[in-house]
């Protein structure tokens, strides 16, 4: 890490206890209480529609942001970078948003 480098970034953090972090009107999938706190052996994977959304959003922030996001964000296993996961799961980027969320989930 170059301590002389400065800039801005985005950090995704867990919401306060009791807050699912979901926007009003959206619900967690049945049987899933939280997307946080899963162990690295859980096999938890990002939802295709959401992963596509954040990849597109990182792309809008510029090449450096997208490269950082793909190479420095790890799956729940804490080993697999998103880029590697997407290389093995190219269908993720073909996932279409559900009706009514096209504008929000297109980056």
């Amino acid at each position: 890490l170059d301590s002389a480098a400065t800039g801005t970034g985005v950090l995704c953090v867990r919401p306060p206890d009791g807050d699912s972090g979901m926007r009003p009107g959206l619900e967690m999938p049945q049987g899933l209480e939280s997307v946080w706190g899963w162990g690295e052996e859980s096999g938890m994977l990002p939802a295709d529609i959401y992963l596509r959304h954040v990849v597109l959003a990182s792309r809008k922030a510029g090449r450096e942001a997208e490269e950082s996001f793909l190479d420095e964000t790890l799956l729940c296993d804490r080993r697999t970078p998103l880029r590697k996961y997407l290389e093995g799961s190219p269908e993720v980027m073909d996932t279409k948003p559900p009706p009514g969320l096209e504008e929000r989930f297109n980056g």
Side-chain angles (χ1 to χ4, degrees), residues 70 73-85:
L70 293 174
T73 302
L74 304 176
L75 294 181
C76 190
D77 67 9
R78 296 165 179 80
R79 290 182 295 278
T80 308
L82 285 182
R83 183 184 305 277
K84 183 175 180 183
Y85 173 70

Side-chain angles (χ1 to χ4, degrees), residues 1-104:
L1 182 62
D2 179 359
S3 61
T6 61
T8 59
V10 177
L11 180 64
C12 187
V13 297
R14 184 179 188 153
D17 287 343
D19 181 356
S20 71
M22 299 290 288
R23 287 180 177 252
L26 297 177
E27 297 179 15
M28 293 291 278
Q30 187 174 356
L32 186 65
E33 292 180 24
S34 174
V35 299
W36 301 95
W38 290 84
E40 56 190 272
E41 301 303 324
S42 69
M44 175 70 104
L45 295 171
D48 290 354
I49 186 63
Y50 182 72
L51 180 53
R52 176 183 175 272
H53 169 65
V54 293
V55 168
L56 294 175
S58 72
R59 190 172 291 163
K60 281 186 174 181
R63 182 172 174 82
E64 185 177 5
E66 180 183 12
E67 297 295 315
S68 172
F69 179 68
L70 293 174
D71 295 330
E72 298 172 25
T73 302
L74 304 176
L75 294 181
C76 190
D77 67 9
R78 296 165 179 80
R79 290 182 295 278
T80 308
L82 285 182
R83 183 184 305 277
K84 183 175 180 183
Y85 173 70
L86 289 170
E87 287 169 354
S89 303
E91 68 279 1
V92 168
M93 295 307 292
D94 295 330
T95 304
K96 299 298 179 205
L101 293 177
E102 297 92 350
E103 185 176 327
R104 177 173 175 219

